Amino acid sequence: MKALDLKLIRDLLRLKSQVVSIAAIVACGSATVIAMRSTLDSIQRARDDYYDRARFPQIFASLKRAPESIARRIERVQGVGSVETRIVASAVLDVPGLSESATGYFVSVPPEGEPTLSALYIRNGRQLSPRAEGEVLVNELFAEANKIRPGDSLAAVINGRWERLRVVGIALSPEFIFNAVPGIGMFADNKHVAILWMRRNALGPLYQMDGAFNDVVATLAPGANESAVIASIDDILRRFGGGHAYGRKDQLSNNVLSGEIEQLRVFGTAMPFVFLSVAAFLLNVVLSRLVATQREEIAVLKAFGYTNRRIGVHFLGYALAAVALGAVGGIALGIWVGRKYTALYVAFFRFPSFEHYSSAVLIASAVLVSAIAAITGALFSVRAAIRLAPAEAMRPPAPTAYRPLLLERLGFGAFLSTGTRMLFRNLERRPIRTVASVIGVAFSAAILVVGTFAFDSARYMSDIQFRTAQREDIAVGFTNPRHLRVRRELAEVHGITRIELYRSTPVRIWNGQRSRQLGLTGVEPEAMLRRLVDRSGRHYRLPAGGLVMTSALAKVLEIAPGDTVILELLERGGERRFVPVVALLDEMIGFNAYMARTDVNALLREGPSASGAYISVVPEELNAVVKHLGLFPAVAGSVTREAMLKSFDEQIAESMRLTVIIVVSLASVVALGVIYNGIRISFSERARELASLRVLGFSRREVATLLFGEQGIIDVLGAPLGLLLGLGLAYWIATGFATESYRFPVVVTARTYVFSLAVVFTMAVAASVAMRGRVYKLDLVAVLKTRE
């Protein structure tokens, strides 16, 4: 081995604890890259494979009713590939073992064979028999939540009639990878919302849809223009009460899945960046101090003819050694965490095959990124090493110039003990080093804040959405808009204490060439059960005579209060109305628009009517009321706030639990590494000084207090700064997390700050305990020998 290789090995063994601590941080960075990106790749591979095999449509459209002959006109549209018409309807389900009713979302399949598009995957049981009546397939999430197996029976109120349904199989569909259905949205409760597939010849007569359809899906021909195809389909379906057709990106399940993928991409970029930045920073600190202590060795090496390049490569070896050691642990940890994350998503997204996938390219990329970060952090120190001239390096460093402390110059010298003066003097005479150490501790605290703020934000979102804005106990949807006399019918149900009717209708909002399709909700002006609440929890009264929309929607459409927009009423065949925007509402979930219910009735040019009702009930009567509502022929389905809240917690809060645990664990490693390195390097530099104090009569405890007290001051300064830095990083990540489905608020509670500080100071104590033995066993004779 060459002389410099031997020197590198000896130095690495001598600095093994520091190298291992830096390698641990590098491992954290590599692990986050591998874990997040492998989970992302696994979801994308499973999605793309399933979409291709199941022939997932690219165009979706719903309407009131159209004869089957209209399908031929859609097939002739330029750019359309395959077309399939269906019957889609909702019904109330009576599920064995479920104390309240559930909502069933029925989708027809052809009388014989498989659907042309959105092919079903039978997970358990068998396919529907041709021309069989009463047979259904049930989606897997609902079946698991209610322990339903092939052979079980369900009862349903379909179009006002009781029907007995026999479950013959458990199925998956690319349209419902995530259990989200129109009318309920992304927070459908797996236990109370079911997707059921039924042969069209059996489902059609139940809804008087023989020879007709109310839903159509299509694929695009290669090179087709999606916007042009959608416009043509809209023209055909407009006279049949067709809503605006939309592309795959706006399909509800795919939209939620795409949002989750984007959030994984953001998180998989932000967290590794923070971890690897800390690793690069630490390597720079360690190597800069190593160079300072090896000035004479560098001079001798140059005198013996070693080139600047060879010396630079030698010092880069320290960084590469930390990367190599960290990569070994990081790869193993990243694959393990990636598998845990993938398993977590299985609970929310259902694919026929969903396995964790870690490619060799991804692993190599993670190691390469870690190496680049480490080398970047080491370059400044290496540059300082190769720039040292031999003659300059042989001279000892200039003696330290001691001046009165800032506190002494301010008149506080009389209150400072000798030990305190020594503590502050060592920090003050090396301001750059002190600031660097403070920043290192700040980063470790910042990671803890970033890793745990999501919990606070999720709790806050659920409180605002389901306790402040949505205060009803039950939300009921009617099969068709009903006259307001339905209020009297509902009021007769025992246990109901308040009823607020609403009128919803699909619209497309236009502002110039920009547009967006959504549901317009008309609520009671003095509503108490469903209120307009912004992200701060402030309640707003609904203004009359105009439109209120969410700020996120207004931003997309470039709308300001006072502007006039065009409302395309899809329920009325695309009729248009000019409506002023009177206010914006900063909501956290969805793109929404609101008006007074009476104003929506006026827009539709209809009498007083409602699409559904928000209902409050006596708590102990909730299940009975839900059961009773299921008997109403007018009720298409209902959902309880309690069920939606539980679903929200499962989908957001529960999915973050693993993230928080892993991030906090990794952040603890970073904090320990940063603080331990600070103490270890300070001890190496001041060993002679500390030994001298021991010879002069200082006890071991007093000497240890000087060393650990210096790091303690750095921790006390750095930890609060880290809380502010973490808050800034949280805003950055929350911005990247924002989707059309929800905008993540940045909420950090005092408990999170206290927890972050507690972890940092606990790691500080652990690092001090690890170094205590070295300080107490200081060899006074060896340290005080004259340096050659």
Side-chain angles (χ1 to χ4, degrees), residues 471-475 497 615-618 622 639-642:
R471 307 202 305 170
E472 76 279 1
D473 295 308
I474 308 170
T497 58
I615 299 172
S616 65
V617 301
V618 178
L622 178 63
V639 60
T640 65
R641 179 170 59 104
E642 179 183 356

Side-chain angles (χ1 to χ4, degrees), residues 683 690-691 693-708 771-780:
F683 175 74
L690 296 175
L693 292 174
R694 288 280 288 114
V695 172
L696 291 174
F698 279 70
S699 67
R700 290 185 299 181
R701 177 175 295 180
E702 289 172 327
V703 169
T705 300
L706 290 176
L707 179 65
F708 300 143
M771 283 297 300
R772 181 174 177 271
R774 288 179 178 270
V775 177
Y776 275 38
K777 295 176 182 178
L778 194 61
D779 188 341
L780 305 186

Side-chain angles (χ1 to χ4, degrees), residues 403-415:
R403 298 185 301 273
L405 291 168
L406 176 62
L407 291 174
E408 291 176 318
R409 294 197 295 273
L410 292 175
F412 295 99
F415 303 99

Side-chain angles (χ1 to χ4, degrees), residues 35-67:
M36 299 298 177
R37 291 290 170 171
S38 64
T39 304
L40 177 63
D41 290 347
S42 299
I43 293 178
Q44 288 180 317
R45 283 168 62 92
R47 178 197 64 180
D48 295 343
D49 180 64
Y50 189 27
Y51 281 4
D52 289 341
R53 288 193 291 112
R55 302 179 298 278
F56 186 44
Q58 293 159 305
I59 303 295
F60 303 81
S62 60
L63 55 148
K64 285 187 175 180
R65 177 189 171 96

Side-chain angles (χ1 to χ4, degrees), residues 406-453:
L406 176 62
L407 291 174
E408 291 176 318
R409 294 197 295 273
L410 292 175
F412 295 99
F415 303 99
L416 302 177
S417 65
T418 302
T420 304
R421 283 192 177 91
M422 295 174 69
L423 276 178
F424 282 101
R425 183 174 288 117
N426 197 56
L427 293 172
E428 191 175 307
R429 67 189 175 95
R430 295 174 176 174
I432 295 178
R433 181 173 299 180
T434 300
V435 170
S437 300
V438 169
I439 293 175
V441 174
F443 263 114
S444 62
I447 295 174
L448 286 160
V449 173
V450 170
T452 52
F453 94 94

